[in-house]
Amino acid sequence: MNEQASASDSPFIQGRNARLYGKSVESCPYPEGSQDREAWLQAYEEAAADDPEQKG
């Protein structure tokens, strides 16, 4: 059986979901300076911008 990664496995989706589920930015599992960390953090921040409860 050929296993493939799903979209939910991507760092971007994981970062977005972390924000949506109330996790802290410190919960990012990727090492400092990695592309995966950058994607995770970008999605985390974008999720905040999309969250109506976070807007004033």
Side-chain angles (χ1 to χ4, degrees):
M1 184 168 156
N2 185 14
E3 289 190 39
Q4 294 181 343
S6 68
S8 63
D9 293 329
S10 79
F12 192 87
I13 297 299
Q14 290 175 6
R16 178 183 163 276
N17 288 344
R19 170 68 84 162
L20 296 176
Y21 290 107
K23 294 185 178 183
S24 71
V25 72
E26 289 83 19
S27 68
C28 179
Y30 299 103
E32 192 75 37
S34 70
Q35 287 183 336
D36 287 344
R37 184 177 183 86
E38 291 302 315
W40 193 99
L41 293 172
Q42 178 186 354
Y44 189 90
E45 293 304 317
E46 287 180 9
D50 292 340
D51 186 350
E53 291 182 18
Q54 297 291 324
K55 293 183 180 177

mmCIF file of all heavy atoms in Angstrom:
data_model
loop_
_atom_site.group_PDB
_atom_site.id
_atom_site.type_symbol
_atom_site.label_atom_id
_atom_site.label_comp_id
_atom_site.label_asym_id
_atom_site.label_seq_id
_atom_site.Cartn_x
_atom_site.Cartn_y
_atom_site.Cartn_z
ATOM 1 N N MET A 1 0.847 -1.184 0.000
ATOM 2 C CA MET A 1 0.000 0.000 0.000
ATOM 3 C C MET A 1 0.890 1.244 0.000
ATOM 4 O O MET A 1 1.842 1.346 0.761
ATOM 5 C CB MET A 1 -0.884 -0.014 1.245
ATOM 6 C CG MET A 1 -1.855 1.117 1.290
ATOM 7 S SD MET A 1 -3.040 0.798 2.602
ATOM 8 C CE MET A 1 -3.568 2.432 2.934
ATOM 9 N N ASN A 2 0.584 2.183 -0.845
ATOM 10 C CA ASN A 2 1.371 3.409 -0.982
ATOM 11 C C ASN A 2 0.789 4.496 -0.090
ATOM 12 O O ASN A 2 -0.311 4.972 -0.320
ATOM 13 C CB ASN A 2 1.357 3.855 -2.449
ATOM 14 C CG ASN A 2 2.247 5.052 -2.687
ATOM 15 O OD1 ASN A 2 3.065 5.397 -1.849
ATOM 16 N ND2 ASN A 2 2.079 5.683 -3.824
ATOM 17 N N GLU A 3 1.545 4.880 0.942
ATOM 18 C CA GLU A 3 1.065 5.930 1.839
ATOM 19 C C GLU A 3 1.483 7.287 1.309
ATOM 20 O O GLU A 3 2.628 7.478 0.927
ATOM 21 C CB GLU A 3 1.646 5.727 3.236
ATOM 22 C CG GLU A 3 1.058 4.536 3.931
ATOM 23 C CD GLU A 3 1.462 4.485 5.384
ATOM 24 O OE1 GLU A 3 1.520 5.547 6.017
ATOM 25 O OE2 GLU A 3 1.710 3.385 5.879
ATOM 26 N N GLN A 4 0.558 8.212 1.298
ATOM 27 C CA GLN A 4 0.845 9.567 0.856
ATOM 28 C C GLN A 4 0.421 10.538 1.946
ATOM 29 O O GLN A 4 -0.517 10.283 2.685
ATOM 30 C CB GLN A 4 0.087 9.896 -0.432
ATOM 31 C CG GLN A 4 0.541 9.070 -1.613
ATOM 32 C CD GLN A 4 -0.227 9.440 -2.867
ATOM 33 O OE1 GLN A 4 -1.277 10.064 -2.807
ATOM 34 N NE2 GLN A 4 0.303 9.050 -4.003
ATOM 35 N N ALA A 5 1.127 11.651 2.026
ATOM 36 C CA ALA A 5 0.765 12.679 2.995
ATOM 37 C C ALA A 5 -0.518 13.369 2.542
ATOM 38 O O ALA A 5 -0.730 13.576 1.352
ATOM 39 C CB ALA A 5 1.892 13.688 3.121
ATOM 40 N N SER A 6 -1.344 13.706 3.494
ATOM 41 C CA SER A 6 -2.555 14.453 3.172
ATOM 42 C C SER A 6 -2.299 15.941 3.390
ATOM 43 O O SER A 6 -1.294 16.330 3.980
ATOM 44 C CB SER A 6 -3.718 13.976 4.041
ATOM 45 O OG SER A 6 -3.496 14.343 5.374
ATOM 46 N N ALA A 7 -3.207 16.758 2.944
ATOM 47 C CA ALA A 7 -3.064 18.204 3.117
ATOM 48 C C ALA A 7 -2.946 18.574 4.592
ATOM 49 O O ALA A 7 -2.239 19.499 4.946
ATOM 50 C CB ALA A 7 -4.241 18.930 2.476
ATOM 51 N N SER A 8 -3.629 17.832 5.445
ATOM 52 C CA SER A 8 -3.589 18.154 6.872
ATOM 53 C C SER A 8 -2.226 17.878 7.491
ATOM 54 O O SER A 8 -1.957 18.295 8.613
ATOM 55 C CB SER A 8 -4.675 17.389 7.625
ATOM 56 O OG SER A 8 -4.448 16.003 7.531
ATOM 57 N N ASP A 9 -1.357 17.174 6.762
ATOM 58 C CA ASP A 9 -0.005 16.912 7.246
ATOM 59 C C ASP A 9 0.937 18.077 6.974
ATOM 60 O O ASP A 9 2.043 18.105 7.485
ATOM 61 C CB ASP A 9 0.569 15.654 6.584
ATOM 62 C CG ASP A 9 -0.171 14.398 7.008
ATOM 63 O OD1 ASP A 9 -0.666 14.346 8.144
ATOM 64 O OD2 ASP A 9 -0.247 13.467 6.192
ATOM 65 N N SER A 10 0.515 19.036 6.164
ATOM 66 C CA SER A 10 1.413 20.133 5.807
ATOM 67 C C SER A 10 1.607 21.076 7.000
ATOM 68 O O SER A 10 0.688 21.293 7.789
ATOM 69 C CB SER A 10 0.869 20.917 4.624
ATOM 70 O OG SER A 10 -0.143 21.815 5.026
ATOM 71 N N PRO A 11 2.804 21.640 7.125
ATOM 72 C CA PRO A 11 3.049 22.595 8.218
ATOM 73 C C PRO A 11 2.084 23.774 8.177
ATOM 74 O O PRO A 11 1.673 24.280 9.223
ATOM 75 C CB PRO A 11 4.486 23.053 7.964
ATOM 76 C CG PRO A 11 5.104 21.948 7.192
ATOM 77 C CD PRO A 11 3.997 21.371 6.358
ATOM 78 N N PHE A 12 1.715 24.210 6.973
ATOM 79 C CA PHE A 12 0.801 25.342 6.848
ATOM 80 C C PHE A 12 -0.548 25.023 7.491
ATOM 81 O O PHE A 12 -1.060 25.793 8.308
ATOM 82 C CB PHE A 12 0.635 25.714 5.372
ATOM 83 C CG PHE A 12 -0.059 27.031 5.175
ATOM 84 C CD1 PHE A 12 0.663 28.212 5.165
ATOM 85 C CD2 PHE A 12 -1.427 27.100 5.002
ATOM 86 C CE1 PHE A 12 0.032 29.442 4.996
ATOM 87 C CE2 PHE A 12 -2.065 28.310 4.827
ATOM 88 C CZ PHE A 12 -1.340 29.487 4.818
ATOM 89 N N ILE A 13 -1.116 23.878 7.153
ATOM 90 C CA ILE A 13 -2.414 23.486 7.711
ATOM 91 C C ILE A 13 -2.302 23.246 9.213
ATOM 92 O O ILE A 13 -3.187 23.623 9.984
ATOM 93 C CB ILE A 13 -2.962 22.241 6.987
ATOM 94 C CG1 ILE A 13 -3.207 22.539 5.504
ATOM 95 C CG2 ILE A 13 -4.229 21.732 7.661
ATOM 96 C CD1 ILE A 13 -4.213 23.643 5.233
ATOM 97 N N GLN A 14 -1.197 22.644 9.642
ATOM 98 C CA GLN A 14 -1.005 22.410 11.074
ATOM 99 C C GLN A 14 -0.955 23.724 11.850
ATOM 100 O O GLN A 14 -1.528 23.830 12.939
ATOM 101 C CB GLN A 14 0.274 21.617 11.311
ATOM 102 C CG GLN A 14 0.183 20.191 10.836
ATOM 103 C CD GLN A 14 1.500 19.457 10.976
ATOM 104 O OE1 GLN A 14 2.463 19.974 11.533
ATOM 105 N NE2 GLN A 14 1.552 18.246 10.465
ATOM 106 N N GLY A 15 -0.277 24.727 11.294
ATOM 107 C CA GLY A 15 -0.196 26.027 11.959
ATOM 108 C C GLY A 15 -1.554 26.699 12.047
ATOM 109 O O GLY A 15 -1.923 27.270 13.074
ATOM 110 N N ARG A 16 -2.303 26.633 10.966
ATOM 111 C CA ARG A 16 -3.646 27.214 10.942
ATOM 112 C C ARG A 16 -4.534 26.535 11.988
ATOM 113 O O ARG A 16 -5.232 27.195 12.762
ATOM 114 C CB ARG A 16 -4.248 27.051 9.544
ATOM 115 C CG ARG A 16 -5.650 27.576 9.421
ATOM 116 C CD ARG A 16 -6.176 27.299 8.005
ATOM 117 N NE ARG A 16 -7.603 27.426 7.967
ATOM 118 C CZ ARG A 16 -8.464 26.465 8.290
ATOM 119 N NH1 ARG A 16 -8.029 25.281 8.651
ATOM 120 N NH2 ARG A 16 -9.751 26.672 8.232
ATOM 121 N N ASN A 17 -4.482 25.221 12.006
ATOM 122 C CA ASN A 17 -5.308 24.479 12.951
ATOM 123 C C ASN A 17 -4.893 24.741 14.394
ATOM 124 O O ASN A 17 -5.744 24.805 15.275
ATOM 125 C CB ASN A 17 -5.268 22.988 12.642
ATOM 126 C CG ASN A 17 -6.041 22.635 11.393
ATOM 127 O OD1 ASN A 17 -6.848 23.425 10.900
ATOM 128 N ND2 ASN A 17 -5.797 21.462 10.851
ATOM 129 N N ALA A 18 -3.607 24.903 14.618
ATOM 130 C CA ALA A 18 -3.139 25.195 15.975
ATOM 131 C C ALA A 18 -3.782 26.475 16.485
ATOM 132 O O ALA A 18 -4.264 26.539 17.619
ATOM 133 C CB ALA A 18 -1.613 25.305 15.991
ATOM 134 N N ARG A 19 -3.807 27.509 15.667
ATOM 135 C CA ARG A 19 -4.427 28.779 16.063
ATOM 136 C C ARG A 19 -5.917 28.587 16.287
ATOM 137 O O ARG A 19 -6.465 29.034 17.297
ATOM 138 C CB ARG A 19 -4.174 29.826 14.980
ATOM 139 C CG ARG A 19 -4.967 31.094 15.153
ATOM 140 C CD ARG A 19 -4.546 31.901 16.364
ATOM 141 N NE ARG A 19 -3.414 32.719 16.024
ATOM 142 C CZ ARG A 19 -3.025 33.764 16.718
ATOM 143 N NH1 ARG A 19 -3.673 34.136 17.806
ATOM 144 N NH2 ARG A 19 -1.971 34.450 16.373
ATOM 145 N N LEU A 20 -6.571 27.895 15.365
ATOM 146 C CA LEU A 20 -8.018 27.725 15.463
ATOM 147 C C LEU A 20 -8.428 26.909 16.682
ATOM 148 O O LEU A 20 -9.509 27.104 17.226
ATOM 149 C CB LEU A 20 -8.557 27.082 14.182
ATOM 150 C CG LEU A 20 -8.393 27.932 12.918
ATOM 151 C CD1 LEU A 20 -8.876 27.175 11.695
ATOM 152 C CD2 LEU A 20 -9.119 29.261 13.037
ATOM 153 N N TYR A 21 -7.541 26.015 17.131
ATOM 154 C CA TYR A 21 -7.850 25.189 18.293
ATOM 155 C C TYR A 21 -7.251 25.733 19.586
ATOM 156 O O TYR A 21 -7.221 25.045 20.601
ATOM 157 C CB TYR A 21 -7.413 23.741 18.052
ATOM 158 C CG TYR A 21 -8.286 23.058 17.023
ATOM 159 C CD1 TYR A 21 -7.802 22.789 15.752
ATOM 160 C CD2 TYR A 21 -9.612 22.727 17.310
ATOM 161 C CE1 TYR A 21 -8.611 22.192 14.787
ATOM 162 C CE2 TYR A 21 -10.428 22.128 16.358
ATOM 163 C CZ TYR A 21 -9.910 21.866 15.106
ATOM 164 O OH TYR A 21 -10.709 21.280 14.152
ATOM 165 N N GLY A 22 -6.776 26.990 19.538
ATOM 166 C CA GLY A 22 -6.353 27.669 20.749
ATOM 167 C C GLY A 22 -4.970 27.312 21.267
ATOM 168 O O GLY A 22 -4.650 27.596 22.416
ATOM 169 N N LYS A 23 -4.141 26.695 20.433
ATOM 170 C CA LYS A 23 -2.775 26.374 20.872
ATOM 171 C C LYS A 23 -1.902 27.617 20.772
ATOM 172 O O LYS A 23 -2.174 28.525 20.006
ATOM 173 C CB LYS A 23 -2.199 25.253 20.017
ATOM 174 C CG LYS A 23 -2.932 23.938 20.209
ATOM 175 C CD LYS A 23 -2.262 22.825 19.456
ATOM 176 C CE LYS A 23 -2.991 21.519 19.695
ATOM 177 N NZ LYS A 23 -2.331 20.404 19.032
ATOM 178 N N SER A 24 -0.837 27.635 21.552
ATOM 179 C CA SER A 24 0.078 28.773 21.532
ATOM 180 C C SER A 24 1.080 28.628 20.389
ATOM 181 O O SER A 24 1.296 27.530 19.873
ATOM 182 C CB SER A 24 0.831 28.863 22.859
ATOM 183 O OG SER A 24 1.751 27.799 22.957
ATOM 184 N N VAL A 25 1.691 29.749 20.032
ATOM 185 C CA VAL A 25 2.700 29.739 18.973
ATOM 186 C C VAL A 25 3.891 28.869 19.385
ATOM 187 O O VAL A 25 4.578 28.298 18.535
ATOM 188 C CB VAL A 25 3.114 31.176 18.593
ATOM 189 C CG1 VAL A 25 3.951 31.807 19.684
ATOM 190 C CG2 VAL A 25 3.828 31.215 17.264
ATOM 191 N N GLU A 26 4.125 28.715 20.674
ATOM 192 C CA GLU A 26 5.217 27.884 21.164
ATOM 193 C C GLU A 26 4.992 26.398 20.898
ATOM 194 O O GLU A 26 5.905 25.589 21.045
ATOM 195 C CB GLU A 26 5.436 28.101 22.667
ATOM 196 C CG GLU A 26 6.045 29.444 23.004
ATOM 197 C CD GLU A 26 5.014 30.564 23.064
ATOM 198 O OE1 GLU A 26 3.802 30.284 23.202
ATOM 199 O OE2 GLU A 26 5.417 31.727 22.964
ATOM 200 N N SER A 27 3.786 26.030 20.485
ATOM 201 C CA SER A 27 3.503 24.621 20.206
ATOM 202 C C SER A 27 4.012 24.186 18.830
ATOM 203 O O SER A 27 3.888 23.014 18.478
ATOM 204 C CB SER A 27 1.996 24.340 20.327
ATOM 205 O OG SER A 27 1.279 24.981 19.284
ATOM 206 N N CYS A 28 4.604 25.105 18.077
ATOM 207 C CA CYS A 28 5.147 24.766 16.762
ATOM 208 C C CYS A 28 6.207 23.672 16.910
ATOM 209 O O CYS A 28 7.183 23.856 17.636
ATOM 210 C CB CYS A 28 5.759 25.987 16.089
ATOM 211 S SG CYS A 28 6.463 25.608 14.463
ATOM 212 N N PRO A 29 6.041 22.553 16.207
ATOM 213 C CA PRO A 29 6.958 21.423 16.371
ATOM 214 C C PRO A 29 8.209 21.482 15.491
ATOM 215 O O PRO A 29 9.060 20.608 15.586
ATOM 216 C CB PRO A 29 6.093 20.230 15.969
ATOM 217 C CG PRO A 29 5.183 20.791 14.917
ATOM 218 C CD PRO A 29 4.878 22.203 15.380
ATOM 219 N N TYR A 30 8.315 22.499 14.657
ATOM 220 C CA TYR A 30 9.406 22.540 13.692
ATOM 221 C C TYR A 30 10.594 23.345 14.204
ATOM 222 O O TYR A 30 10.419 24.310 14.945
ATOM 223 C CB TYR A 30 8.893 23.097 12.362
ATOM 224 C CG TYR A 30 7.800 22.231 11.793
ATOM 225 C CD1 TYR A 30 6.469 22.611 11.876
ATOM 226 C CD2 TYR A 30 8.094 21.007 11.223
ATOM 227 C CE1 TYR A 30 5.454 21.799 11.396
ATOM 228 C CE2 TYR A 30 7.093 20.176 10.737
ATOM 229 C CZ TYR A 30 5.776 20.576 10.827
ATOM 230 O OH TYR A 30 4.780 19.757 10.350
ATOM 231 N N PRO A 31 11.800 22.960 13.806
ATOM 232 C CA PRO A 31 13.002 23.639 14.310
ATOM 233 C C PRO A 31 13.143 25.064 13.802
ATOM 234 O O PRO A 31 12.728 25.384 12.682
ATOM 235 C CB PRO A 31 14.148 22.757 13.806
ATOM 236 C CG PRO A 31 13.590 21.975 12.680
ATOM 237 C CD PRO A 31 12.111 21.850 12.917
ATOM 238 N N GLU A 32 13.728 25.900 14.641
ATOM 239 C CA GLU A 32 13.998 27.303 14.311
ATOM 240 C C GLU A 32 14.774 27.392 13.001
ATOM 241 O O GLU A 32 15.717 26.636 12.782
ATOM 242 C CB GLU A 32 14.819 27.913 15.450
ATOM 243 C CG GLU A 32 14.926 29.411 15.395
ATOM 244 C CD GLU A 32 13.646 30.109 15.816
ATOM 245 O OE1 GLU A 32 12.962 29.628 16.733
ATOM 246 O OE2 GLU A 32 13.337 31.144 15.216
ATOM 247 N N GLY A 33 14.331 28.280 12.119
ATOM 248 C CA GLY A 33 15.027 28.508 10.863
ATOM 249 C C GLY A 33 14.622 27.582 9.726
ATOM 250 O O GLY A 33 15.090 27.750 8.607
ATOM 251 N N SER A 34 13.741 26.611 9.973
ATOM 252 C CA SER A 34 13.337 25.686 8.918
ATOM 253 C C SER A 34 12.200 26.271 8.083
ATOM 254 O O SER A 34 11.438 27.119 8.540
ATOM 255 C CB SER A 34 12.896 24.348 9.518
ATOM 256 O OG SER A 34 11.673 24.482 10.216
ATOM 257 N N GLN A 35 12.097 25.808 6.857
ATOM 258 C CA GLN A 35 11.002 26.251 5.987
ATOM 259 C C GLN A 35 9.658 25.800 6.541
ATOM 260 O O GLN A 35 8.670 26.516 6.437
ATOM 261 C CB GLN A 35 11.191 25.712 4.572
ATOM 262 C CG GLN A 35 12.299 26.397 3.815
ATOM 263 C CD GLN A 35 12.401 25.895 2.388
ATOM 264 O OE1 GLN A 35 11.983 24.786 2.063
ATOM 265 N NE2 GLN A 35 12.965 26.718 1.528
ATOM 266 N N ASP A 36 9.629 24.610 7.142
ATOM 267 C CA ASP A 36 8.385 24.122 7.730
ATOM 268 C C ASP A 36 7.920 25.044 8.848
ATOM 269 O O ASP A 36 6.734 25.350 8.977
ATOM 270 C CB ASP A 36 8.560 22.700 8.268
ATOM 271 C CG ASP A 36 8.650 21.658 7.159
ATOM 272 O OD1 ASP A 36 8.287 21.970 5.998
ATOM 273 O OD2 ASP A 36 9.073 20.532 7.454
ATOM 274 N N ARG A 37 8.861 25.513 9.671
ATOM 275 C CA ARG A 37 8.502 26.433 10.763
ATOM 276 C C ARG A 37 7.958 27.746 10.201
ATOM 277 O O ARG A 37 6.975 28.285 10.708
ATOM 278 C CB ARG A 37 9.707 26.697 11.661
ATOM 279 C CG ARG A 37 9.360 27.566 12.859
ATOM 280 C CD ARG A 37 10.558 27.751 13.783
ATOM 281 N NE ARG A 37 10.214 28.510 14.954
ATOM 282 C CZ ARG A 37 9.698 28.016 16.073
ATOM 283 N NH1 ARG A 37 9.479 26.714 16.179
ATOM 284 N NH2 ARG A 37 9.406 28.796 17.092
ATOM 285 N N GLU A 38 8.609 28.255 9.159
ATOM 286 C CA GLU A 38 8.142 29.496 8.543
ATOM 287 C C GLU A 38 6.708 29.340 8.029
ATOM 288 O O GLU A 38 5.877 30.224 8.219
ATOM 289 C CB GLU A 38 9.076 29.921 7.418
ATOM 290 C CG GLU A 38 10.433 30.372 7.912
ATOM 291 C CD GLU A 38 10.363 31.534 8.884
ATOM 292 O OE1 GLU A 38 9.628 32.502 8.628
ATOM 293 O OE2 GLU A 38 11.053 31.478 9.918
ATOM 294 N N ALA A 39 6.407 28.215 7.379
ATOM 295 C CA ALA A 39 5.052 27.967 6.872
ATOM 296 C C ALA A 39 4.056 27.855 8.019
ATOM 297 O O ALA A 39 2.953 28.406 7.961
ATOM 298 C CB ALA A 39 5.031 26.690 6.025
ATOM 299 N N TRP A 40 4.455 27.144 9.070
ATOM 300 C CA TRP A 40 3.586 26.963 10.236
ATOM 301 C C TRP A 40 3.257 28.310 10.859
ATOM 302 O O TRP A 40 2.099 28.615 11.142
ATOM 303 C CB TRP A 40 4.291 26.044 11.237
ATOM 304 C CG TRP A 40 3.435 25.498 12.343
ATOM 305 C CD1 TRP A 40 2.873 24.268 12.391
ATOM 306 C CD2 TRP A 40 3.077 26.150 13.577
ATOM 307 N NE1 TRP A 40 2.189 24.118 13.578
ATOM 308 C CE2 TRP A 40 2.296 25.259 14.316
ATOM 309 C CE3 TRP A 40 3.341 27.407 14.108
ATOM 310 C CZ2 TRP A 40 1.769 25.563 15.565
ATOM 311 C CZ3 TRP A 40 2.810 27.722 15.353
ATOM 312 C CH2 TRP A 40 2.041 26.812 16.078
ATOM 313 N N LEU A 41 4.290 29.139 11.082
ATOM 314 C CA LEU A 41 4.092 30.441 11.712
ATOM 315 C C LEU A 41 3.271 31.376 10.827
ATOM 316 O O LEU A 41 2.432 32.138 11.328
ATOM 317 C CB LEU A 41 5.443 31.075 12.050
ATOM 318 C CG LEU A 41 6.241 30.348 13.137
ATOM 319 C CD1 LEU A 41 7.638 30.935 13.242
ATOM 320 C CD2 LEU A 41 5.527 30.391 14.474
ATOM 321 N N GLN A 42 3.487 31.319 9.521
ATOM 322 C CA GLN A 42 2.713 32.153 8.603
ATOM 323 C C GLN A 42 1.232 31.801 8.694
ATOM 324 O O GLN A 42 0.375 32.678 8.812
ATOM 325 C CB GLN A 42 3.198 31.958 7.167
ATOM 326 C CG GLN A 42 2.388 32.759 6.160
ATOM 327 C CD GLN A 42 2.764 32.477 4.722
ATOM 328 O OE1 GLN A 42 3.717 31.755 4.440
ATOM 329 N NE2 GLN A 42 2.021 33.047 3.805
ATOM 330 N N ALA A 43 0.931 30.523 8.670
ATOM 331 C CA ALA A 43 -0.468 30.091 8.748
ATOM 332 C C ALA A 43 -1.074 30.444 10.101
ATOM 333 O O ALA A 43 -2.239 30.849 10.186
ATOM 334 C CB ALA A 43 -0.553 28.587 8.507
ATOM 335 N N TYR A 44 -0.294 30.319 11.154
ATOM 336 C CA TYR A 44 -0.755 30.657 12.502
ATOM 337 C C TYR A 44 -1.174 32.126 12.550
ATOM 338 O O TYR A 44 -2.249 32.469 13.051
ATOM 339 C CB TYR A 44 0.361 30.369 13.499
ATOM 340 C CG TYR A 44 -0.057 30.472 14.946
ATOM 341 C CD1 TYR A 44 -0.550 29.364 15.625
ATOM 342 C CD2 TYR A 44 0.060 31.674 15.642
ATOM 343 C CE1 TYR A 44 -0.916 29.449 16.960
ATOM 344 C CE2 TYR A 44 -0.309 31.765 16.970
ATOM 345 C CZ TYR A 44 -0.800 30.651 17.628
ATOM 346 O OH TYR A 44 -1.177 30.747 18.944
ATOM 347 N N GLU A 45 -0.334 32.999 12.005
ATOM 348 C CA GLU A 45 -0.634 34.433 11.993
ATOM 349 C C GLU A 45 -1.816 34.755 11.084
ATOM 350 O O GLU A 45 -2.658 35.586 11.423
ATOM 351 C CB GLU A 45 0.597 35.227 11.588
ATOM 352 C CG GLU A 45 1.710 35.173 12.611
ATOM 353 C CD GLU A 45 1.276 35.629 13.999
ATOM 354 O OE1 GLU A 45 0.554 36.633 14.117
ATOM 355 O OE2 GLU A 45 1.668 34.960 14.976
ATOM 356 N N GLU A 46 -1.887 34.115 9.931
ATOM 357 C CA GLU A 46 -3.001 34.364 9.009
ATOM 358 C C GLU A 46 -4.323 33.908 9.614
ATOM 359 O O GLU A 46 -5.353 34.535 9.390
ATOM 360 C CB GLU A 46 -2.748 33.680 7.674
ATOM 361 C CG GLU A 46 -1.686 34.377 6.862
ATOM 362 C CD GLU A 46 -1.420 33.712 5.527
ATOM 363 O OE1 GLU A 46 -2.162 32.794 5.133
ATOM 364 O OE2 GLU A 46 -0.449 34.120 4.876
ATOM 365 N N ALA A 47 -4.303 32.839 10.359
ATOM 366 C CA ALA A 47 -5.529 32.359 11.004
ATOM 367 C C ALA A 47 -6.034 33.397 12.003
ATOM 368 O O ALA A 47 -7.235 33.584 12.155
ATOM 369 C CB ALA A 47 -5.289 31.016 11.686
ATOM 370 N N ALA A 48 -5.125 34.094 12.670
ATOM 371 C CA ALA A 48 -5.519 35.147 13.608
ATOM 372 C C ALA A 48 -6.211 36.276 12.859
ATOM 373 O O ALA A 48 -7.201 36.831 13.331
ATOM 374 C CB ALA A 48 -4.309 35.666 14.353
ATOM 375 N N ALA A 49 -5.705 36.621 11.691
ATOM 376 C CA ALA A 49 -6.283 37.702 10.896
ATOM 377 C C ALA A 49 -7.674 37.332 10.384
ATOM 378 O O ALA A 49 -8.522 38.195 10.194
ATOM 379 C CB ALA A 49 -5.370 38.043 9.727
ATOM 380 N N ASP A 50 -7.912 36.030 10.203
ATOM 381 C CA ASP A 50 -9.200 35.561 9.696
ATOM 382 C C ASP A 50 -10.222 35.291 10.792
ATOM 383 O O ASP A 50 -11.384 35.058 10.517
ATOM 384 C CB ASP A 50 -9.015 34.262 8.894
ATOM 385 C CG ASP A 50 -8.253 34.493 7.602
ATOM 386 O OD1 ASP A 50 -8.192 35.655 7.137
ATOM 387 O OD2 ASP A 50 -7.722 33.518 7.056
ATOM 388 N N ASP A 51 -9.783 35.328 12.047
ATOM 389 C CA ASP A 51 -10.647 34.993 13.171
ATOM 390 C C ASP A 51 -11.468 36.205 13.596
ATOM 391 O O ASP A 51 -10.914 37.164 14.124
ATOM 392 C CB ASP A 51 -9.792 34.484 14.334
ATOM 393 C CG ASP A 51 -10.618 33.960 15.498
ATOM 394 O OD1 ASP A 51 -11.854 34.160 15.500
ATOM 395 O OD2 ASP A 51 -10.029 33.359 16.408
ATOM 396 N N PRO A 52 -12.792 36.184 13.404
ATOM 397 C CA PRO A 52 -13.607 37.353 13.755
ATOM 398 C C PRO A 52 -13.569 37.701 15.231
ATOM 399 O O PRO A 52 -13.755 38.840 15.618
ATOM 400 C CB PRO A 52 -15.019 36.975 13.323
ATOM 401 C CG PRO A 52 -15.007 35.509 13.071
ATOM 402 C CD PRO A 52 -13.572 35.096 12.848
ATOM 403 N N GLU A 53 -13.307 36.729 16.109
ATOM 404 C CA GLU A 53 -13.229 36.999 17.540
ATOM 405 C C GLU A 53 -11.980 37.796 17.887
ATOM 406 O O GLU A 53 -11.923 38.448 18.912
ATOM 407 C CB GLU A 53 -13.237 35.688 18.328
ATOM 408 C CG GLU A 53 -14.573 34.989 18.260
ATOM 409 C CD GLU A 53 -14.580 33.714 19.087
ATOM 410 O OE1 GLU A 53 -13.706 33.548 19.957
ATOM 411 O OE2 GLU A 53 -15.478 32.889 18.869
ATOM 412 N N GLN A 54 -10.956 37.756 17.044
ATOM 413 C CA GLN A 54 -9.710 38.476 17.289
ATOM 414 C C GLN A 54 -9.783 39.921 16.796
ATOM 415 O O GLN A 54 -8.934 40.722 17.105
ATOM 416 C CB GLN A 54 -8.536 37.770 16.598
ATOM 417 C CG GLN A 54 -8.260 36.377 17.114
ATOM 418 C CD GLN A 54 -7.720 36.385 18.530
ATOM 419 O OE1 GLN A 54 -6.974 37.262 18.917
ATOM 420 N NE2 GLN A 54 -8.100 35.393 19.306
ATOM 421 N N LYS A 55 -10.793 40.232 15.983
ATOM 422 C CA LYS A 55 -10.914 41.593 15.443
ATOM 423 C C LYS A 55 -11.701 42.460 16.407
ATOM 424 O O LYS A 55 -12.624 42.023 17.047
ATOM 425 C CB LYS A 55 -11.603 41.536 14.073
ATOM 426 C CG LYS A 55 -10.730 40.839 13.047
ATOM 427 C CD LYS A 55 -11.362 40.845 11.683
ATOM 428 C CE LYS A 55 -10.452 40.151 10.707
ATOM 429 N NZ LYS A 55 -11.029 40.065 9.397
ATOM 430 N N GLY A 56 -11.305 43.738 16.439
ATOM 431 C CA GLY A 56 -11.770 44.668 17.372
ATOM 432 C C GLY A 56 -13.126 45.128 17.467
ATOM 433 O O GLY A 56 -13.676 45.668 18.257
#
